[in-house]
Amino acid sequence: MEYMEKALAHFQKLLEEQAKRLETLNKPRKDFSAMESVTIGIVDGDGIGPIIMEQAVRVLKQLLKKEIADGKVVLKRIEGLTIENRLAKNQPVPTEVLAEIKTCDVLLKGPTTTPNGGTMESANVTLRRELDLYANVRPVSIPEQGIDWMFYRENTEGEYVLGSKGIDLPGMAVDFKVTTDAGTRRIARAAFEYAKQNGKTRVSVVTKANIMKKTDGKFSAICKEIAAEYPEITADEWYIDIMTANLVNESIRNQFQVFVLPNLYGDIITDEAAQIQGGVGTAGSANMGDQYAMFEAIHGSAPRMIEEGLGAYANPASILKAEAMLLRHICMFDAAQRLETALEDCAVVVTGDKNGATAAQYTDALLELL
């Protein structure tokens, strides 16, 4: 059958691409503590992105005033990662924009819109692949409930790396999922190293290995191999469906500490966790690799807020929490602590509508605290 030959050729090409990708996975880690200068790329994104990023840059310039003046930190504005430009170029990340991004060490990025339908993948998926940002790291903290969670989501594999490369056949459509040994080992090690270095005693592996026996089964088995190297840390395993329930189970959820998950499950469950914390607008996100890192809000570009004229009332807390993670990543620990403390102490309430403060008003109060 002709369509079967087409499908086999398509699948072969995907396998060849992934085999080639495997050859590039092990790279040395950049040591920010030894660098004379760090370049931070500033990417506005779409929708409310420019609004909240304006506030984030205000805070950066205040916190790093001396480092910027001395040339130890360079803020580099990167244009062109907008939905209009991406559609015009028919590229999720236009070639010239990606080249500019690669001249930076880290990115602070606003949310970007992904077109519905078609074959264009999201800008984030492209950036994670092109910059090899294999660890999506998302903290969630609710001290009054004893919740201090850290999620390590594998960022370059699973359904997402091939999610826009499926195939339509007569009467059916097929998408693909990939899990590699090297990709799983490095995300598992990142999670266990974080636990070890931060005094955590429990790492929970979350899969659906009882159904996805090859891909999730591999993820599960390799996480167990890595766990054996950390005998002081308890490693347990849960299926994604019951873990989504566990996070809203008030009798046990404060017992969890560090999570490590494949890509899709991590995407879903970290949004649930952020909602428990107070909404996706309250959570920051880091995408880390050995050479590059990207820090962003976990929410989307909120086109509805723009359409309703409420963009000025967008909550900048998520991008500011990501900014604190960025500062820690580049070894600006004092600045990170100052920002985290100010975020905890800021009493201004942003509601996303005219009943609350604007993004600028929130940042004005934050800068006063700084």
Side-chain angles (χ1 to χ4, degrees):
M1 290 178 282
E2 183 179 346
Y3 77 84
M4 189 68 72
E5 293 177 2
K6 177 184 176 183
L8 290 172
H10 183 80
F11 189 46
Q12 179 178 348
K13 182 181 178 182
L14 294 182
L15 290 176
E16 290 170 350
E17 289 175 356
Q18 292 306 303
K20 186 176 181 180
R21 185 179 71 88
L22 266 177
E23 299 172 3
T24 69
L25 293 189
N26 295 313
K27 297 177 182 177
R29 180 177 290 274
K30 187 177 289 185
D31 182 4
F32 285 95
S33 65
M35 294 173 62
E36 294 183 2
S37 178
V38 175
T39 299
I40 302 174
I42 305 296
V43 183
D44 282 346
D46 302 309
I48 63 171
I51 296 166
I52 61 174
M53 285 298 295
E54 179 184 355
Q55 309 312 316
V57 171
R58 290 176 65 196
V59 173
L60 266 184
K61 287 181 176 179
Q62 169 109 347
L63 284 168
L64 302 179
K65 185 183 301 183
K66 185 177 187 302
E67 289 82 0
I68 293 171
D70 294 342
K72 293 181 179 179
V73 172
V74 176
L75 303 185
K76 182 175 183 177
R77 180 75 64 174
I78 296 175
E79 307 287 350
L81 197 65
T82 62
I83 185 62
E84 294 83 7
N85 192 41
R86 287 181 281 137
L87 288 173
K89 299 288 179 64
N90 195 30
Q91 293 179 297
V93 179
T95 302
E96 69 278 7
V97 178
L98 181 60
E100 284 292 294
I101 285 172
K102 287 184 174 180
T103 66
C104 303
D105 298 299
V106 294
L107 292 182
L108 186 63
K109 175 185 165 294
T112 45
T113 300
T114 301
N116 290 327
T119 59
M120 184 182 291
E121 68 182 1
S122 79
N124 275 2
V125 170
T126 299
L127 287 171
R128 289 165 186 163
R129 182 180 65 250
E130 292 292 335
L131 304 179
D132 199 22
L133 305 177
Y134 60 84
N136 181 246
V137 183
R138 296 184 177 184
V140 168
S141 176
I142 313 174
E144 62 273 19
Q145 296 183 27
I147 291 175
D148 184 14
W149 296 329
M150 185 65 77
F151 294 87
Y152 275 77
R153 165 193 171 193
E154 201 294 315
N155 218 17
T156 59
E157 299 189 352
E159 294 84 352
Y160 283 36
V161 68
L162 299 177
S164 62
K165 298 184 179 181
I167 186 169
D168 277 309
L169 300 170
M172 65 174 144
V174 180
D175 282 322
F176 302 97
K177 176 174 180 172
V178 61
T179 298
T180 68
D181 290 17
T184 304
R185 284 197 178 94
R186 63 186 185 177
I187 189 64
R189 191 171 301 284
F192 279 92
E193 277 296 310
Y194 170 84
K196 178 181 177 180
Q197 293 170 12
N198 289 274
K200 305 299 182 182
T201 58
R202 181 177 185 179
V203 174
S204 300
V205 181
V206 184
T207 70
K208 193 63 177 170
N210 58 332
I211 302 298
M212 307 299 292
K213 296 182 182 294
K214 302 301 182 185
T215 50
D216 284 16
K218 179 180 287 293
F219 192 96
S220 170
I222 291 175
C223 284
K224 288 175 183 175
E225 290 177 16
I226 299 299
E229 301 176 24
Y230 299 83
E232 73 280 12
I233 297 172
T234 298
D236 52 10
E237 183 171 7
W238 301 81
Y239 296 138
I240 180 61
D241 42 359
I242 191 60
M243 183 54 81
T244 59
N246 287 342
L247 293 194
V248 294
N249 184 340
E250 295 182 4
S251 66
I252 66 169
R253 65 185 183 183
N254 61 2
Q255 299 171 23
F256 296 104
Q257 297 178 347
V258 181
F259 304 78
V260 59
L261 318 88
N263 206 336
L264 177 60
Y265 312 144
D267 190 9
I268 295 168
I269 207 169
T270 51
D271 277 7
E272 180 194 17
Q275 190 63 36
I276 294 169
Q277 179 178 252
V280 292
T282 68
S285 175
N287 300 271
M288 298 181 183
D290 293 326
Q291 292 296 306
Y292 299 98
M294 178 172 71
F295 300 82
E296 59 183 344
I298 74 167
H299 56 72
S301 57
R304 187 175 301 170
M305 289 188 72
I306 299 298
E307 292 169 4
E308 296 176 358
L310 296 173
Y313 295 88
N315 192 341
S318 183
I319 194 68
L320 291 168
K321 288 185 177 181
E323 185 169 287
M325 296 173 75
L326 182 153
L327 291 167
R328 287 198 177 279
H329 187 72
I330 63 174
C331 301
M332 302 286 179
F333 300 112
D334 179 65
Q337 184 60 58
R338 288 173 59 201
L339 177 53
E340 289 165 351
T341 300
L343 286 166
E344 289 177 4
D345 294 342
C346 188
V348 174
V349 177
V350 180
T351 61
D353 56 35
K354 294 181 180 179
N355 293 317
T358 66
Q361 289 168 339
Y362 178 90
T363 307
D364 289 343
L366 195 71
L367 291 172
E368 286 293 323
L369 291 170
L370 292 172

